[in-house]
Amino acid sequence: MSQLKPTYERVLLKLSGESLLGNLPRGIDFERTRSIAQEIKDVYELGVQVAIMIGGGNIFRGAEGTNAGMERSAADQMGLLATIINGIALQDALEREGVFTRHISALEIKAVAEPFIRRRVIRHLEKGRIIIFSAGIGSPYFTTDTAAALRALEIRAQVILKATKVDGVYSADPLVDKTATKFDSIRYLDVLNLGLKVMDATAISLCKDNDLPIIVFNLNQKGNIKRAVLGEAIGTKVN
Ligand code: UDP
C-alpha cells in the first residue's frame, strides 16, 4: 500500500459508456479500457474502496430506440443490457491488472453478475474487491447517473467521481462555446437552476438531498482519478 493518504476511503466512480470508446465511433476500445483499469488499480493501491457505475452509451441508449418509435421501456432495457456488456469488459480488464472484482447487475443475469445485496456489496468492498455496478437501477426511465447517486448513498460512498471528457463544469459547453468558463466549485441548486449538464436532474437532486458531493473531472488526463481521490483541486466540486 502507498504512503499517500487519500481524502476518501470509499468512492463511487461513474464511467459513461463513452469513456470506453477511445477513438471508435461505437463499441469498446480494449486498449482504452485497459488504461482505465490501470488507473483504477492505482487508486485501489492507495487503499481506497472503489465501486464503479458503468454506463452504456457507447453501445446503445434508450433514446436511440424511442427516436425510431420503440416503446420507451423496451428501448431502455436494451440500454440496460448495453451496460452489462460494458461491465463484463471492465471486469475482465481489471482482473487482468491483477485486482479482485465483483460485477453486480441490477437486472438478474445469474451466470454473469451478482444481484445487488447492499450488505454483501459493502463486505466485498471491505475485503478489497472492486465493485462494478451495471444495469443502472434496473428500471427504465432512469440513467446510470441517477443509479450512481443511489448506489453511492446505499453503500455510503463519500463522493461520486464523475468522469467526463472536459475539465469540469463550465458555464456553457466548452467543446462548443469558446467563451465558456469553468467553475472550481458550484452548488447543487445552481447546477439545477442554470440547467448545467453535469448529471441529470434526478441524480443532482438525490445528491443534494443527501449531501453527497460530486467531483466532475476529465478522464482523458491520465492520473486524474488518483488526483481526485487524493483531494487535489481538479475539476469541479458540486456540493
Ligand atoms: N438505463 C435505464 N435505467 C437505468 C440506467 C440506464 O433504463 O437505471 C438505460 C437507458 O436507456 C440509457 C441506457 O440504459 O440510455 C444507458 O445508460 P446511460 O445513458 O446512463 O449511459 P451513459 O450515458 O453513462 O453511457
Side-chain angles (χ1 to χ4, degrees), residues 1-4 6 38-50 97-99 130 226:
M1 290 290 159
S2 163
Q3 300 297 78
L4 292 168
Q38 283 170 342
E39 288 203 44
I40 295 170
K41 184 189 181 188
D42 288 345
V43 170
Y44 165 82
E45 284 180 340
L46 293 170
V48 179
Q49 296 178 15
V50 184
E97 292 305 315
V99 291
I130 294 176
K226 190 169 174 175

Side-chain angles (χ1 to χ4, degrees), residues 14-18 55-57 60-62 75-76 79-80 83 135-145:
K14 167 65 211 295
L15 289 179
S16 64
E18 221 178 24
F60 192 83
R61 279 208 176 87
D76 279 344
L80 288 170
T83 70
I137 65 166
S139 300
Y141 293 89
F142 287 92
T143 64
T144 51
D145 279 351

Side-chain angles (χ1 to χ4, degrees), residues 185-189 212-214 237-239:
S185 73
I186 187 167
R187 312 297 296 175
Y188 305 108
L189 252 190
L212 176 64
I214 307 160
K237 190 167 188 180
V238 185
N239 61 5

Side-chain angles (χ1 to χ4, degrees), residues 4-225:
L4 292 168
K5 176 120 180 63
T7 302
Y8 305 103
E9 284 153 28
R10 183 177 294 164
V11 301
L12 191 137
L13 172 66
K14 167 65 211 295
L15 289 179
S16 64
E18 221 178 24
S19 64
L20 307 184
L21 269 181
N23 293 320
L24 300 175
R26 212 172 173 103
I28 299 170
D29 179 323
F30 290 95
E31 192 44 44
R32 178 73 184 125
T33 307
R34 189 170 75 97
S35 128
I36 293 173
Q38 283 170 342
E39 288 203 44
I40 295 170
K41 184 189 181 188
D42 288 345
V43 170
Y44 165 82
E45 284 180 340
L46 293 170
V48 179
Q49 296 178 15
V50 184
I52 304 153
M53 177 64 69
I54 184 77
N58 56 322
I59 298 173
F60 192 83
R61 279 208 176 87
E64 295 171 53
T66 51
N67 290 343
M70 271 187 90
E71 162 66 35
R72 170 85 186 253
S73 298
D76 279 344
Q77 283 171 344
M78 290 176 66
L80 288 170
L81 291 177
T83 70
I84 298 177
I85 294 176
N86 285 336
I88 296 170
L90 189 58
Q91 178 173 43
D92 177 82
L94 282 164
E95 294 203 328
R96 279 194 281 154
E97 292 305 315
V99 291
F100 295 101
T101 64
R102 289 292 187 274
H103 182 178
I104 311 289
S105 166
L107 279 183
E108 193 179 311
I109 180 160
K110 276 191 230 149
V112 174
E114 292 180 17
F116 176 71
I117 299 170
R118 196 182 74 88
R119 286 171 204 279
R120 188 191 281 179
V121 166
I122 290 173
R123 190 79 190 112
H124 286 324
L125 288 165
E126 287 168 350
K127 286 190 169 175
R129 296 168 186 147
I130 294 176
I131 293 292
I132 302 149
F133 288 121
S134 69
I137 65 166
S139 300
Y141 293 89
F142 287 92
T143 64
T144 51
D145 279 351
T146 300
L150 176 65
R151 293 299 189 231
L153 291 167
E154 288 184 280
I155 64 167
R156 302 211 168 276
Q158 292 152 312
V159 67
I160 294 182
L161 305 177
K162 161 80 178 167
T164 69
K165 54 188 179 188
V166 291
D167 286 334
V169 182
Y170 283 77
S171 54
D173 185 348
L175 300 178
V176 179
D177 183 347
K178 294 291 165 224
T179 66
T181 52
K182 179 176 152 275
F183 299 100
D184 290 332
S185 73
I186 187 167
R187 312 297 296 175
Y188 305 108
L189 252 190
D190 291 328
V191 171
L192 293 172
N193 290 339
L194 297 171
L196 299 174
K197 290 192 175 53
V198 178
M199 293 170 101
D200 60 85
T202 314
I204 299 288
S205 301
L206 207 47
C207 292
K208 175 181 172 293
D209 291 350
N210 295 283
D211 288 322
L212 176 64
I214 307 160
I215 297 175
V216 183
F217 70 98
N218 192 343
L219 184 68
N220 292 331
Q221 211 172 315
K222 218 173 160 62
N224 260 356
I225 313 177

